[in-house]
Amino acid sequence: MQATTLILLLGLMAVTAFYLGRGRSLSLVGGHGHGLALHSLPGYYGYYVAIWVALPALGLFLLWVLLEPRIVVALVVNGLPEAYQSLPAGELNLLVNNIQNFAAGDVISVEVDRVLQDAAAQFNDYLANSRQILAVLALGLAGLAGSLAWRRIHPDLRARNRVERVIRWFLIAASSIAIFSTIGIVLSVLFEAIRFFQKVPVTEFMFGLNWSPQTAIRADQVGSSGSFGAVPLFAGTLLITAIAMVVAVPVGLMTAIYLAEYSSTRVRGIAKPLLEILAGIPTVVYGFFAALTVAPWVRRAGEAAGFEVASESALAAGLVMGIMIIPLVSSLSDDAINAVPSAMRDGALGLGSTRSETMTKVILPAALPGIVGGILLAVSRAIGETMIVVMAAGLAANLTANPFAAVTTVTVQIVTLLVGDQEFDSAKTLAAFALGLMLFVVTLFLNIIGLSVVRKYREQYD
Amino acid sequence: MSTDRTTRRKVEAGLPRRRRKEARFKVLGMLATAVGILFLGVFFASLIGKGASAFKQTYLQLEIELSETVLAPDGELDLAFADFEGLVRASLRRELPDVTGRQDRRELYRIVSIGAGYQLRDLVAGNPELLGTTQSLWVPASSNIDMLIKGNIDASLAEALRPVSDKQIAWVEFFREAGRLETRFNSALFSNGDSREPELAGIKGAVMGSLYMLMVTMVLSFPIGVAAAIYLEEFAPRNRWSDLIEVNINNLAAVPSIVFGLLGLAVFINWAALPRSAPLVGGLVLTLLTLPVIIIASRAAIKAVPPSIREAALGLGASQTQVVFHHVLPLAMPGMLTGAIIGMSRALGESAPLLMIGMVAFIVDVPGSLTDPATALPVQIFLWADSPERAFAERTSAAIIVLLGFLLVMNLTAVILRKRMERKW
């Protein structure tokens, strides 16, 4: 039976159970007129039965679907002849993959022999059987649990409280997903990173000056042992981030000041939404623009001025990234400026200072922590930005501070290492997770500081 | 008296300088605001300038004889192996009989897209009775000829510097003078999947992939996000655990999206063995990515419901759960929906995490289910932007225009929803 059919059937059963439960509760007290004799509203008795029908069966279904592939594979492997079972893990894996693909009717690259054919047939057999068993078990469980719950309906049954408890647990589970995804991120990058550091020492990764992740495919190949010194990547990331900040911070801050203090309501009404559009443009679009429009401009301008400019210069990527971050800086600065109590502004103006003096000598110093917190968040955003640099920055890991040269960044390397085919035990693939760990830790650090500074500051003047 | 006057004189002496400074500051602010807006203008101008022509495609009219001897040499038509390409070539040879020699003929064949053969095949598959007749058909020109007609290839350059030869230009000129060359609406862009040939490449596969992913994301992230927001606002006791959840959500909203891709690769693909390149996995990753956005927006919407409503319901004997589900939730729903739409529009534009889970594969077929290999619209843009062919640059811009169109519609819906449904208390 198809999984969707099963789910639909369970849903149907739950709806029926709702009406059965409601009906029973009413008939126990003698019809609609006597609802007050019940502990809860009749509907809650319906929900009570429906929950018992649906939840255990769904739980079984999920568990089954999660475990099924592993168990079926184990069974198939058990059924293989002895000679195959004693193959090394890698080859066995390959064989299992081939069996699965063949069973699904795909074309496979190896010759189809008798063993493979049998195993594939077995595989399909087990799979079909497993689905049959699941359907029977799930529907049986739903019926059993439902009828038990139905029997337990009694005018004194605290149905509402029980239903509400289930709802409460659902809400708690939903809010814990945020925690689980953080834990998931940490564990998934951490484990692979630890495996990487078993192959490559941490010190080489953190302080090595040479990055060329090409590892040899065969052991006897020359010159491609791979070196994983990540300093050039960190330097490249910092260079591009610095360029972006040089654009975004002054422009974003001055925009916020102008819109908060000088512009008329009409100008603000037009300029603010326009800047918000900038924030809504997907980064891949910025990347396209950086690579195809801005990079050639930068190159032409640089060459006219007599510099040697790489076609994938850090400057082009940084400039466009800076533009992308302007709205973030300006809206966070706007918040910080608006949080300064107007008494301070009025006092400064009343003493005869001009608007710009009020701004630079009174409001900005008072708003500084909030602005700095916002800038930290912007830096974190720039460090983690991927598409712009993937499309407009280079791949070569040069250790340079020259904005006209091509540099590469942490995110670019993660993408290049992980896009395409990969095996999970080569240092090359694992290096991406080590870089991901660095990225996560650094941005997390910046975010926590930035967020707490911004929040604390907001509360300070409230 | 005299000190008073000197102070005043000092202040007055400084005034012009201070006023100049003030004016300078104001101009700086104006310039800064202009930078962002100017960029937006340049950006849209260049985008539309580059992309508008991709919505048109050059077609040539050919007289094609659907000869039985070519298509069904053994008396039986096998669509998979029949030489439709040969028919197109034969027709070109008939049109320009004075083109002889291997090299020249090969160049001649190259002015028509290989899509012409597929078009013929589909035609014959649908109407087998056409076999043996001669049909006058409009077939797509190859991408180089298309670029030439649109003026993206400069015919005045030296022959070696452009991808079309002088002869090809002359042949195209022949078709144009005969009125048998037209630029029409490029329907292939919207009805085809990806292709290596720019003139056949379309965004339908990518749009469908994005649609499937957004479906998964919406179905999962909206209920979970709203439930989490309800718990945190209405039920959670103020303790360490709820503080931890809160800090976590705010941080997750700022974690680089590529890190979510690493999570998806390690957990969904490597550990849970879900299929690569599938919209299902993409949707799961985007769910985790949009959850914080939806939770934060939903919490704001719940906070905006005045406490008096809760108190009134509690006073009439409703349980806390009833208060929330019967009163607070319906009133907060518009705000939550707005947040959800904004979260979805962020998910639609996201591409970095999708690169990690293998959605960058070259996929021709339009996906038909959640587990078919697929790509997404932003990833398609990334792939096309990397293609060296001139015609792909134009199509990339067109795909971006389509993507921005979707985003615009979603954001406008959110704005309208907010304006029409949100109440001020």
Side-chain angles (χ1 to χ4, degrees):
Chain A
M1 192 186 289
Q2 285 286 314
T4 35
T5 342
L6 185 59
I7 298 280
L8 278 180
L9 226 88
L10 281 177
L12 211 67
M13 279 177 80
V15 173
T16 324
F18 172 80
Y19 285 106
L20 285 178
R22 211 181 75 137
R24 178 170 162 89
S25 74
L26 279 173
S27 70
L28 276 180
V29 294
H32 273 284
H34 307 275
L36 280 180
L38 289 168
H39 169 270
S40 313
L41 290 171
Y44 281 104
Y45 294 91
Y47 287 127
Y48 176 71
V49 183
I51 285 172
W52 272 105
V53 165
L55 273 193
L58 276 182
L60 177 79
F61 176 81
L62 279 183
L63 207 68
W64 196 280
V65 169
L66 274 181
L67 293 180
E68 185 183 56
R70 280 150 213 260
I71 293 177
V72 168
V73 164
L75 283 175
V76 167
V77 169
N78 258 338
L80 288 174
E82 278 299 318
Y84 286 88
Q85 287 194 39
S86 51
L87 282 174
E91 282 179 46
L92 196 63
N93 250 338
L94 201 66
L95 182 69
V96 168
N97 267 338
N98 279 331
I99 292 172
Q100 279 176 333
N101 289 341
F102 185 67
D106 289 347
V107 181
I108 55 173
S109 56
V110 295
E111 205 178 324
V112 180
D113 58 3
R114 193 54 208 267
V115 177
L116 202 119
Q117 245 170 11
D118 287 350
Q122 273 271 281
F123 183 81
N124 277 339
D125 220 35
Y126 281 133
L127 217 57
N129 276 337
S130 139
R131 284 292 144 105
Q132 295 282 358
I133 298 171
L134 169 63
V136 171
L137 279 184
L139 293 178
L141 186 63
L144 186 74
S147 63
L148 281 181
W150 186 76
R151 270 160 183 280
R152 278 174 65 182
I153 290 180
H154 186 270
D156 290 337
L157 179 74
R158 293 158 63 79
R160 178 177 60 76
N161 306 53
R162 289 177 187 225
V163 171
E164 286 183 354
R165 203 178 310 148
V166 173
I167 293 177
R168 185 77 66 97
W169 277 109
F170 169 68
L171 296 181
I172 293 178
S175 64
S176 315
I177 285 188
I179 304 251
F180 284 126
S181 51
T182 309
I183 295 175
I185 289 175
V186 171
L187 291 187
S188 59
V189 286
L190 198 64
F191 274 126
E192 310 294 344
I194 288 173
R195 282 172 65 193
F196 173 73
F197 290 131
Q198 282 164 355
K199 291 172 194 266
V200 177
V202 184
T203 44
E204 190 199 323
F205 178 72
M206 296 291 286
F207 305 110
L209 298 182
N210 194 5
W211 177 267
S212 69
Q214 260 50 51
T215 41
I217 297 169
R218 297 191 317 274
D220 55 341
Q221 259 175 325
V222 192
S224 50
S225 55
S227 61
F228 294 93
V231 171
L233 310 190
F234 301 150
T237 308
L238 284 184
L239 177 62
I240 292 184
T241 305
I243 297 171
M245 286 302 130
V246 165
V247 175
V249 171
V251 174
L253 192 56
M254 285 310 289
T255 305
I257 291 172
Y258 180 75
L259 291 181
E261 295 290 321
Y262 289 97
S263 72
S264 62
T265 1
R266 222 170 55 106
V267 171
R268 189 165 44 233
I270 297 169
K272 265 206 158 163
L274 282 179
L275 288 175
E276 273 165 27
I277 293 181
L278 272 187
I281 295 176
T283 52
V284 66
V285 177
Y286 278 110
F288 175 69
F289 192 71
L292 263 81
T293 310
V294 178
W297 282 350
V298 168
R299 198 186 156 113
R300 245 174 283 143
E303 268 164 8
F307 293 110
E308 193 175 319
V309 183
S311 59
E312 295 184 316
S313 62
L315 191 60
L319 280 178
V320 173
M321 197 188 278
I323 301 265
M324 182 194 80
I325 293 174
I326 288 176
L328 183 68
V329 175
S330 93
S331 80
L332 287 170
S333 313
D334 195 38
D335 285 353
I337 289 172
N338 281 329
V340 176
S342 53
M344 286 170 83
R345 181 186 331 240
D346 297 344
L349 288 173
L351 286 173
S353 44
T354 62
R355 280 180 187 229
S356 62
E357 284 162 353
T358 312
M359 188 46 83
T360 51
K361 301 214 164 89
V362 178
I363 296 180
L364 283 187
L368 196 62
I371 293 173
V372 170
I375 291 175
L376 287 184
L377 292 180
V379 169
S380 141
R381 176 89 195 273
I383 290 178
E385 171 47 45
T386 308
M387 294 318 289
I388 294 179
V389 280
V390 166
M391 295 168 84
L395 286 175
N398 297 322
L399 188 55
T400 172
N402 176 5
F404 298 113
V407 295
T408 189
T409 72
V410 173
T411 48
V412 172
Q413 288 304 316
I414 294 178
V415 170
T416 39
L417 292 175
L418 285 185
V419 168
D421 290 330
Q422 70 234 175
E423 34 180 346
F424 258 83
D425 48 1
S426 84
K428 195 176 146 187
T429 309
L430 294 176
F433 284 89
L435 290 175
L437 181 67
M438 287 298 298
L439 185 65
F440 180 69
V441 169
V442 170
T443 52
L444 187 72
F445 186 65
L446 287 171
N447 291 340
I448 288 181
I449 297 181
L451 282 170
S452 62
V453 168
V454 166
R455 181 166 333 139
K456 200 180 223 166
Y457 173 76
R458 230 179 253 153
E459 282 160 6
Q460 196 183 322
Y461 289 116
D462 267 350
Chain B
M1 250 342 234
S2 65
T3 49
D4 201 34
R5 204 170 287 157
T6 50
T7 311
R8 195 170 160 177
R9 206 174 294 136
K10 263 188 197 161
V11 169
E12 270 170 3
L15 267 183
R17 190 178 48 82
R18 288 172 62 200
R19 290 215 175 101
R20 273 202 303 280
K21 215 172 163 190
E22 168 76 15
R24 224 180 304 143
F25 194 71
K26 190 175 172 183
V27 169
L28 268 182
M30 266 182 194
L31 284 179
T33 314
V35 166
I37 294 170
L38 197 73
F39 175 85
L40 207 62
V42 171
F43 168 75
F44 275 107
S46 106
L47 190 67
I48 292 169
K50 268 190 196 143
S53 58
F55 293 103
K56 295 265 186 175
Q57 158 74 29
T58 309
Y59 285 84
L60 297 172
Q61 192 186 30
L62 291 181
E63 301 289 332
I64 297 172
E65 189 193 348
L66 297 167
S67 139
E68 264 169 292
T69 49
V70 176
L71 288 181
D74 315 328
E76 207 160 314
L77 175 67
D78 184 351
L79 285 173
F81 292 100
D83 187 13
F84 290 103
E85 196 98 358
L87 296 181
V88 177
R89 292 180 176 173
S91 152
L92 280 169
R93 283 197 302 270
R94 261 198 317 281
E95 298 288 351
L96 297 149
D98 45 340
V99 180
T100 51
R102 223 167 221 273
Q103 193 62 40
D104 281 4
R105 281 198 172 161
R106 203 173 289 159
E107 270 186 40
L108 174 62
Y109 301 152
R110 252 184 242 141
I111 68 170
V112 172
S113 160
I114 62 159
Y118 304 144
Q119 190 185 334
L120 277 186
R121 189 187 61 201
D122 294 344
L123 182 74
V124 174
N127 315 283
E129 73 278 4
L130 290 180
L131 216 60
T133 61
T134 298
Q135 296 290 321
S136 167
L137 290 175
W138 287 94
V139 297
S142 69
S143 67
N144 280 339
I145 301 304
D146 188 40
M147 289 294 105
L148 177 77
I149 298 296
K150 288 173 182 167
N152 289 343
I153 290 175
D154 188 359
S156 61
L157 280 174
E159 190 175 9
L161 292 178
R162 51 181 150 85
V164 282
S165 65
D166 288 340
K167 284 179 188 155
Q168 282 176 323
I169 294 178
W171 296 325
V172 170
E173 214 39 54
F174 165 78
F175 275 100
R176 201 215 294 260
E177 273 161 21
R180 293 165 62 187
L181 181 148
E182 264 181 29
T183 55
R184 301 179 175 181
F185 178 68
N186 184 4
S187 57
L189 187 65
F190 297 97
S191 59
N192 285 5
D194 198 6
S195 169
R196 294 275 185 235
E197 307 297 323
E199 70 273 11
L200 300 180
I203 55 172
K204 188 176 175 197
V207 169
M208 290 308 289
S210 279
L211 204 71
Y212 279 124
M213 268 194 313
L214 285 194
M215 252 164 53
V216 174
T217 309
M218 189 73 200
V219 165
L220 288 176
S221 69
F222 187 60
I224 295 178
V226 168
I230 290 176
Y231 179 72
L232 291 174
E233 279 302 315
E234 299 284 338
F235 293 105
R238 289 271 147 247
N239 58 18
R240 284 245 178 101
W241 180 248
S242 55
D243 280 351
L244 185 67
I245 295 181
E246 177 138 20
V247 171
N248 242 302
I249 290 171
N250 288 333
N251 275 321
L252 274 184
V255 166
S257 60
I258 191 171
V259 174
F260 284 94
L262 289 175
L263 168 79
L265 178 62
V267 173
F268 295 134
I269 290 184
N270 208 22
W271 182 74
L274 291 171
R276 256 167 184 285
S277 312
L280 178 66
V281 181
L284 286 174
V285 171
L286 292 182
T287 299
L288 294 181
L289 203 86
T290 45
L291 257 183
V293 180
I294 294 183
I295 293 177
I296 291 169
S298 301
R299 291 186 71 176
I302 292 174
K303 261 189 202 142
V305 177
S308 59
I309 299 226
R310 294 183 186 85
E311 284 150 16
L314 282 173
L316 288 172
S319 74
Q320 211 184 349
T321 314
Q322 287 170 329
V323 171
V324 171
F325 283 91
H326 296 174
H327 302 284
V328 177
L329 195 58
L331 290 173
M333 202 36 99
M336 292 174 164
L337 280 177
T338 314
I341 295 175
I342 289 172
M344 288 299 116
S345 77
R346 204 185 131 184
L348 176 59
E350 199 57 73
S351 37
L354 303 181
L355 302 184
M356 302 283 95
I357 55 166
M359 296 195 82
V360 277
F362 170 71
I363 291 152
V364 177
D365 293 329
V366 175
S369 81
L370 288 180
T371 47
D372 281 352
T375 183
L377 196 48
V379 181
Q380 187 72 72
I381 290 169
F382 169 67
L383 286 171
W384 281 358
D386 255 7
S387 303
E389 283 96 341
R390 188 70 208 255
F392 269 123
E394 172 193 88
R395 264 148 240 265
T396 314
S397 300
I400 289 175
I401 293 174
V402 174
L403 175 65
L404 290 181
F406 277 124
L407 291 177
L408 188 73
V409 170
M410 290 170 86
N411 282 302
L412 276 185
T413 318
V415 168
I416 291 171
L417 201 68
R418 187 169 1 188
K419 283 240 165 85
R420 303 236 343 230
M421 311 265 284
E422 216 162 49
R423 285 198 235 176
K424 286 267 176 264
W425 301 95

